[in-house]
Structures are given as C-alpha cells and as structure tokens.
Amino acid sequence: MSDWKFMVRQLVKNPLSLAGIIILFIFAFIAIFAPLIAPPPEGHLDNYMIPRDGYSATPKLPSEEHIFGTTEGQYDIFYGVIWGTRSAFHVGLLVIGIVLVVGIVLGSLAGYFGGVIDEIIMRITDVFLAFPALILAMAIVAALGPSLKSVMIALCVVSWPSYARLIRGDILQVREEDYIEASRGIGASNFRVVMRHALPNSIYPTLVMASLDIGAVVLAAAALSFLGLGAPEGYADWGQLTSFARNWIVGPSGDPFRYWFAVTIPGLFILFFVLAWNLLGDAFRDILDPRLARR
Amino acid sequence: MENIITIRDLTVRFYTYEGVVHAIDGLNLDIRQGETLGIVGETGSGKTMTALAILRLIPYPGRIESGSIAFFDRDLHSEIELLKLSEDKMRSIRGNKISMVFQEPGAALNPVYTIGDQISEVFLLHQRRELGKRAKEQVDRSLRDGDGFAAGMKRPFWRWQRRLYDKIAQESNLFEPRFLSHVPFFRRLLWRLKDESNLLTVDMLKDVEIPDAARVAIHYPHELSGGMKQRAVIAMALACSPELLIADEPTTSLDVTIQAQMLELFRRIKVEKGASVLFITHNLGVASEVCDRVAVMYAGSLCEVASVEELFLNPSHPYTKALLDAVPMPGKQLQTIPGQLADPLNPPTGCRFHPRCPSAKPVCQQEKAKLKEINKDHMVACHLF
Amino acid sequence: MELRSYIIRRLFLLIPVLFGVTIFIFGITMLFSPIERAALYVTSSRQMLNIPLIIETYGLDQPFWVQYGNWMSQVFSGNLGWSKVVGMPVWDAIWSFLPATLELAIFTTPIIIFTGIFLGSRAAAHKDRPLDHGTRVMAIFGWSLPTFWLGLLLLMVFYGYFTGLLPPHRLGIPMDMVVNSAEFTRYTHINTIDAILNLNGAVLLDALRHLILPVITLSVTQVAFIMRLMRSSMLESLGKGYILTARAKGLSERVVVNKHARRNALIPVITVSGYVFAGMMNGVVITETIFTFKGIGWWAWQSAIRLDIASVLGFALFNSVLFVLVNLVVDILYTRVDPRVRLGGTVQ
C-alpha cells in the first residue's frame, strides 16, 4: 500500500506528470459536462453530429455565436471539439479495454501453458506485427467501410499483439516462482492459479503502461479520421474536424493566417490530450524503473 | 623510506535521498613502499571507498569532504597531494602509476571489445612515446631492408610514417599526429602504434600466466572463464608497471581453486614487480596469505593495523578479536558478533563499534579513540589502550 | 558460415509468417463482394469491362481455399491486380510510386538516426541538467504531436505566410517540365539523385526545397522516440562496471562516454530500428497525403478512400514483405554489433 502512496507522491512532485494529471482532469471535466458546455440545439437528433449553420464553404471567423469559428461547410468548431472530447475518451477507453482483455487472455495462455499453444499464439502475433499499424488499419477500414466503428475494430486488431506479448512476458517472469508451484500443489485449477496468483503479481506495470497508451490510440484514430477513413463528415471527432482545414491552411494574400482557427484548434485539443497521457506515461515509466528506485 | 601513500584525516560523505552517509570518517593510513597492505572489513566498512578515494573515482552522490592523500611519485622523487591535483594530471596517474583491479571481472570488462583491445588501450594511452619509438624502429627496418617494386611504392608513406612516429616519440601530444588520428582515412598511417601495443599486450597476458596468449587476446570477454577474465583485468592493471596496485576483493567471485592460483599470482607480482599493493578483502584467510601488514576497518574508521603475524598473534582491538573468533573452525562452536552493523545514516556516537563491543566503557560512547602504537609497528584505535 | 546459416534459418522462418500474412490479407477481401474482388485479377482497363467472365474464370464465388489458391498463384506470377485509382496494374503502380518514397526515406533516415542518437547521448551525459530536461520535454511533445497537424501547420507558416517558400508536391511546375523533358534523363526517378547525375543544379535545389517540410514532418516523431531510448540506454550503460574500469585506466571522460558507453548503448537502439521503420511507413502515408508528395503512401491513401481494394491489398502485401526483410537486416546488424550474440561458448 505504501508503494502506491509513494508512487502518487512521486507523480505529484514531478512537475511534468502533475501537468499531465491536471490536463487530464480538465479533459474529463469537458467530456462529462459536454451537454452543458456546448448544448445541442433544440430537436437535434444525434448529439455527436455537429450542428451546421448554413452550407457555405468558407469557414467563418470566431465570433460570439461561434466561439471557435466554423469549418468549411459551417460546422461549429466549438461544439465539435467539446463533443469530440467525449468521442476521444470513448474510442480510447473502448479500444484499450478490448485489447487488454484479448491480450490478457491470449498472453496468459501462451505464457502459462507454453509449448505448442505458445508457439501458435506467437506466430499469430508475428503475422500481425509484420504490418505497420496504420497500413493494416487502413486496409481493414477500407474493407469494412469508413466509419468510427471500423476504426475502432481496426485499432483493436492492430494493437492486441503487442499486449499479448507483454503479458506473456509478465507471466513467464512469474511462472517459475514458488507460490505458483505451491498453489498448483494444493490442487488449484489452472484458471485459478493464473487469475489469482500469476496475473495479480505481474501485470500491474503492464496494465499501467497499457492504459497510458490511450493517447496513442486516440492519435491513431484521429489520423485515420483525418484521412477520411474514420468518422463521417460532420461527426464530432478531432481528426475529422482537422480534415476540413486542409483547403484553408492558406488564407487570401495579405492575410495568410486568416483561417488559423480551423487548423489550430482541433489540433491543439489532440495535442494536449495525447500529451497529458504521455506525460503521465513517462513519469510512470521512471517510477516503475527499478534502477531509479529510492537511493 | 617514504610511504608511497599517506592518508591523513580522510572524510568521504554521500549525500543521498535519505540522508548523509558517512562512508569514511577521519581515516589515517600509510601504505609503505614495496609492501602489500591488506584492508579487512565487512561490507560498508569503507574499504572500497578508500581505494576509490585514492584514485579520486568516488561516484556521485559522494564527495571527498576533507583530508589529504599524499602519493610519493618515484619518477619525480617527491610527494604529490592527490586531492589537489588537476583532473588532467590525475588521469595520467590512473592506470599508469596507480591502477586498480575490481571485484567482478565480468563486469569490469566491456563486452563489445576484445581483451586485447582493452589492454592495448592502456598502452596507447600512457606509453605512447615508447610505442612511437618502437614504431619508428619498425619503419626504419622496413626502409632499410625493403626493396623491390612494392617497397618502392610504399616508401613515401613509410617516410611520412617515420616522421609521425618520431614526433610521437618526442612528445606524444603534438598537433599533426593527434589531428591525423581522428581523420578516418589517414588514421591508417598510425597502424604500427596499434601493432606495437598488441605485442606488448600479448607479453602482458603471458606474464599473468594466460595460456595461448595471442589467441586469447583476440577473444571477447564473454568467451573467457572467470579466472581468465580476472587475469586479463590484472594484466590491464599491470600494463604500465604501476607503483601502486589496488586490488578490490579480486578473488571473492572466483572458485576456491582459482582463488589459490590467483593468490599465487599476486605473490609473484609482489616479488617480481616490486610494486606496492593495497589488497582489499573481507576474508582474513586470504589476507594472511598475501599481505605483509593488515589494517582492520569498521564503519568508515580504522580500528587496528599491524603486520600479519602480529595481528593474528596479538589481536588487540575488540572488533579484530571478534572477527578472528568468528572464523568457522571444525570442532568449534560458531561465534558471531552480536548486534547489527552500524547504520550508515545514523552511526553510533563516539566509537562506531561500541554498541557491539563486549569491553565498552562509558567514554567509548562519547569520543572516538585515536590511533596509538601499543607495540612495535602495531597501532590500535581503542579506549582500552 | 555462422552468419550464412543464421540467415538461411531466418528466411525459412519467414515463410510461415508470410503465409499467415497473405491469408489474413486475403481474408479481408472476403468482406468485399465478388464484383469488387474481380479487380484483383485484372491486368488492363479492357478487362474491367468483362467482370462476369472474370468472376467465372477465377471462381470468385467458390469457397475460400480455392480462391486463396488462385490468388496466390496469381501473386507469384507477378499479377497483383488492377489499380483503378491510377489506371495501371498494381505491380506497375508500386514501382512507379516507390522512387518518391525512397527519396523521402533517404533523407529522413539519417536525420532520425543521427539526431536521435546524438541528442540522446547528450541528454544522458548531462543528466538532470537543463539540457536533459529540455530534450525530455521536446521528446514528449514530439511524441504527442499529430503528424498530420504538424504538416498542416508547417505548410501554413512556410508556404502560406512565407509565400511559397517551402511548397508541397515534389517539384515546382517549371522544374517538373524540365524533369519530364527529353534533355533530362531519369535514371532512378529519384529527383535529387537524377539531378546530380544530370548535373542540373536548378532541379536539385528545387527538389530539395520541396523535401524540407515533408522530411521534418516525418522525422519529428521518430527522433523523439529514438532520443528517449538512447538516453535511457546510455544511462544504463554508464552505470555498468566497465565504465568505472575505463575511468580507472585514466581515459578522458569523452573517450569513456563515446567509445565505451555508447557502443553498448546502441545495441537496444538497433534492436528497435525495425519498429522505427514501421513508424516511418505509417508517417509516410500521412506526410505524402498532406504534401501531395506522390509516393506509395499517397497512392495507398487514394486507394483506401476510393475503396480500390486491389491497390490497398497490394500495398499491404508489399509493406509486410518489406517489413519482414527489414527486420531480418536489423537482426543481422544486431549480431554484428553485439559479439555476445554472434559467437558463444567459453575458452578454457
């Protein structure tokens, strides 16, 4: 227990990780209170579709009505980034959740039983790891049809192999310990041994690092949405919003930064979200590093 | 006869996250010319730190707070204060006049370079002038004996080399050779230096009784057994015929049989090289085999120092007596020293040993005892005397 | 002998992996209708008109294994299908777009490697000092930056604000005409190399100008990663016993760090370079898309958007083979650098 307290203390002391925690809290706040911060207009059907204020192709500058301006096609940017926070958490948590479950199951099987099962599972992970992730995701999304759901499926498919390997490694480290042998000796079923003894003693660091990969997942989803392979047009998704800005990065001559908000604002949201997770991740990595343990 | 090392009032402290550790506290020690002095003590007694302090290699977060370490340099015929030396001059002493052998030979050798390379490194660093001279002689021989077409082509290069080696032999740090040694293509001109150093390396390996030295030199550390690795490390330390060799538990990580061979090697070195040796160990038996005098340390201070025979016949400090008693002997009941090692963060006041000492007196808690000579060449720091 | 048998062994192990890869890729195509899948077997635009015939010839309504067999024999005879996006066979498309991506890779890879390694060692050598903290923050930022956003921002500033200073595409229009003219011989289709071979300075400069922004965009993320890895690897190396020995030998700190510590620290970095390559491939798609730099990344994106599955699958297949080969090269490099892996056994 004191280990956790020490960890939390270290996290708060470090200015970088403290910043990460604060940023995350802000984002969580935004996500939870999205309906209050950016209320959907009357009779709006799908809260995740951004309300449009006309159909003109030229983005409008920030004004009282549209705090962050509008995109090409008159989608309100403010609404988009606020509800986009919800999408981001949704995508990140869901993908990492699924990937962890699959990874734990397959990784434990491979690590605990070894032998043929291990070989098969390892070869399968090799196959998946033979692809650069984005490209495989692209292929899957192209096959399934562009949508946020396809993106999530694709990201799950692409990410589970690394976690299966990590967890397999964790189990391997612990497998030869005496208490595993002992619990088997008193007749515990394999399932019980793994669930109650092997896993709890080895996976916490991996779990922690996995949850901090939420940032990376959201980044990948944003990239796919930006490329047009993810959320449909007008959906409240940061990557999707950024793709609108492609044609407007250069304003009329004499005022080149005129449409800065279209590019910068959604991008900043992505940046800070991912940054927060990475700051935490970096700090955690330092804490979990046995060599840097208290001197 | 001068001492080769005179340590006075040395204090080394470590500033850690949890507090200040007093690694060495007011140490006074002499190492005499040509002798093998052993330092005996438990872990944390400060023996390794003493060695590192002499070479000024105390790692962060440690610092040498105060004191003096005087080194008598044979070539200069004078004493130098090591703690006041510039880093440059200190580096010319390390590996050259004072060198060190570490406990774990496997950890001490760099896994990605061959044994020969690592030993040659010492020659190339400290004996460059000598190497330059020999290389020059090599080229001279080629210039003299070489004939035929191929030789004719190479002559201008040989003459260039000769000029370079001549410069190195005079003063190893001149601009031209130093500059060229960094330029990729022209570096090759200086190949004879490496060649000569390789010859010296193989000689050195033979000296430490490594069989088939030439072949071993081109192998990597992980391909050698523990005993061979340690011999290689010793070869590296002895390469430049140092005046002082510091050996930090050199036999602790080796098999007992190899240990015996290693001690034999140390005895031979003592006789042949005439170097002074500082031999650090926690094993009294080993100390009795190799050392002329033995110093006993506890918690950063010196307890007792005497010649080997005197110490074993007449142990005076209670700690020394307890150590000797604790050596397991068949038929005798196992004796231990009661209590716990002094907490490095919070050492006992006064004499560090007093909480565990059977003969402790009230004054022991208040002040540390000073070293007193109780017998010929036998000093003890204890209030009993 | 050691090395050769190692390579052969590894190439053998490759086969089941490639097998699995192709099954998986092909499995994805099963999600498409037979009509769309027909594009996989087509080699000219004329054939596209005869889809029912193709469906029958290749048995596109047959069970999975039959189709897989057919497709594999196709692939082995070099036919990856028809890319409707660019109107040429997939195989040709790959080779026609590859030079542009290679050009990017040629410039990006050394930058990533040298910058990352250099900054990482410096950070380790100045641990806990301003330089270390600075590079750490830089690395975390770099690692969190959405590549596409960075590209857009760079364009906004250097193309928009400094009008036309560093433009997108591979070449400006005038130079493009020069490159396609009769006087200019395209040996490699890599503009910078061709410009040098043709002794044409103007084309060279223009090509370089167009390369600057894409290269920066592509490298930022990878440099951040390598920098952090190098730093922790150096710190681990500097804590080892042989460093103390090296210092005790009297070597200068510079030699200790550069010669003894760094060589050991590079080992994990090399191990990881396969993943860096993968990261680069990911980045290539986005970067080429943003800068309309017509390489295979751009082609893949066009194909994905327009649901041109033949192209997408061809690209995926090409990529996985490439990736597997790169990993093999990395493994071999690793054995060169770390003698413990190369050889083994003790000399008594």
Side-chain angles (χ1 to χ4, degrees), chain A residues 11-190:
Chain A
L11 279 179
V12 176
K13 254 177 31 179
N14 183 350
L16 288 178
S17 59
L18 185 60
I21 294 179
I22 294 180
I23 297 179
L24 271 184
F25 266 112
I26 296 179
F27 273 112
F29 182 81
I30 295 180
I32 296 175
F33 292 107
L36 293 175
I37 303 176
E42 286 283 329
H44 198 71
L45 289 167
D46 181 358
N47 284 344
Y48 283 95
M49 290 305 282
I50 310 177
R52 296 176 82 159
D53 188 16
Y55 294 89
S56 150
T58 320
K60 283 219 218 68
L61 275 78
S63 62
E64 257 205 39
E65 208 189 311
H66 300 286
I67 308 180
F68 284 159
T70 66
T71 67
E72 170 181 321
Q74 302 310 307
Y75 292 97
D76 183 29
I77 295 183
F78 181 72
Y79 188 93
V81 293
I82 297 293
W83 285 84
T85 315
R86 276 203 172 186
S87 304
F89 272 109
H90 182 219
V91 171
L93 291 171
L94 205 58
V95 169
I96 290 289
I98 294 178
V99 160
L100 269 182
V101 167
V102 172
I104 288 180
V105 168
L106 288 177
S108 320
L109 283 177
Y112 187 70
F113 290 108
V116 177
I117 300 182
D118 187 14
E119 270 303 308
I120 296 179
I121 297 186
M122 279 302 105
R123 289 310 127 227
I124 298 180
T125 56
D126 271 345
V127 167
F128 281 90
L129 288 174
F131 287 89
L134 200 67
I135 290 154
L136 182 57
M138 263 172 49
I140 296 177
V141 171
L144 297 174
S147 81
L148 207 51
K149 202 164 72 160
S150 324
V151 166
M152 287 200 281
I153 293 177
L155 288 177
C156 286
V157 168
V158 157
S159 329
W160 75 264
S162 344
Y163 289 108
R165 284 206 161 196
L166 280 175
I167 295 191
R168 169 183 179 268
D170 288 334
I171 301 270
L172 280 180
Q173 271 187 336
V174 164
R175 194 168 64 164
E176 304 306 320
E177 298 278 346
D178 289 335
Y179 56 83
I180 301 289
E181 185 108 7
S183 65
R184 267 211 294 249
I186 56 172
S189 73
N190 282 326

Side-chain angles (χ1 to χ4, degrees), chain C residues 2-19:
Chain C
E2 251 317 308
L3 193 61
R4 205 172 21 194
S5 60
Y6 178 71
I7 297 182
I8 295 178
R9 231 181 323 135
R10 283 298 305 266
L11 284 173
F12 259 115
L13 285 177
L14 234 59
I15 296 178
V17 174
L18 282 180
F19 194 57

Side-chain angles (χ1 to χ4, degrees), chain C residues 34-90:
Chain C
I35 301 179
E36 286 166 325
R37 272 183 274 135
L40 281 177
Y41 300 88
V42 156
T43 45
S44 73
S45 49
R46 261 177 301 124
Q47 288 186 349
M48 286 295 275
L49 301 170
N50 279 326
I51 297 209
L53 183 60
I54 295 177
I55 292 183
E56 212 188 294
T57 325
Y58 293 101
L60 289 178
D61 30 15
Q62 303 264 5
F64 178 77
W65 285 111
V66 178
Q67 295 199 46
Y68 178 68
N70 287 335
W71 183 61
M72 278 309 277
S73 57
Q74 271 252 127
V75 169
F76 275 116
S77 64
N79 180 10
L80 285 165
W82 181 260
S83 168
K84 70 179 178 209
V85 162
V86 285
M88 61 174 97
V90 169

Side-chain angles (χ1 to χ4, degrees), chain A residues 200-239:
Chain A
N201 280 294
S202 53
I203 60 167
Y204 283 124
T206 310
L207 274 186
V208 167
M209 299 320 301
S211 44
L212 296 169
D213 262 349
I214 292 185
V217 166
V218 169
L219 197 52
L224 284 171
S225 288
F226 173 79
L227 291 176
L229 296 168
E233 183 183 305
Y235 196 90
D237 179 279
W238 292 332

Side-chain angles (χ1 to χ4, degrees), chain B residues 57 91 94-95 102 107-113 118 121-122 125-126 182 219-220 222-225 228 236, chain C residues 241-242 244-245 247-252 254-255 259-260 263-264 267 337 339-340 342-348:
Chain B
L57 286 174
R91 262 183 269 139
R94 289 186 198 131
F102 294 91
L109 291 167
N110 193 329
V112 297
Y113 293 110
Q118 296 188 52
E121 202 175 16
V122 186
L125 180 66
H126 293 296
H182 289 292
H219 277 86
Y220 289 91
H222 69 275
E223 301 176 290
L224 269 57
S225 67
M228 299 261 275
M236 205 157 61
Chain C
Y242 50 79
L244 186 57
T245 309
R247 290 199 181 118
K249 286 203 280 201
L251 291 167
S252 71
R254 204 176 58 102
V255 172
K259 182 172 170 198
H260 286 268
R263 183 87 184 267
N264 280 278
I267 295 176
V337 172
R340 286 168 290 190
R342 205 188 306 167
L343 319 144
T346 32
V347 172
Q348 285 309 325

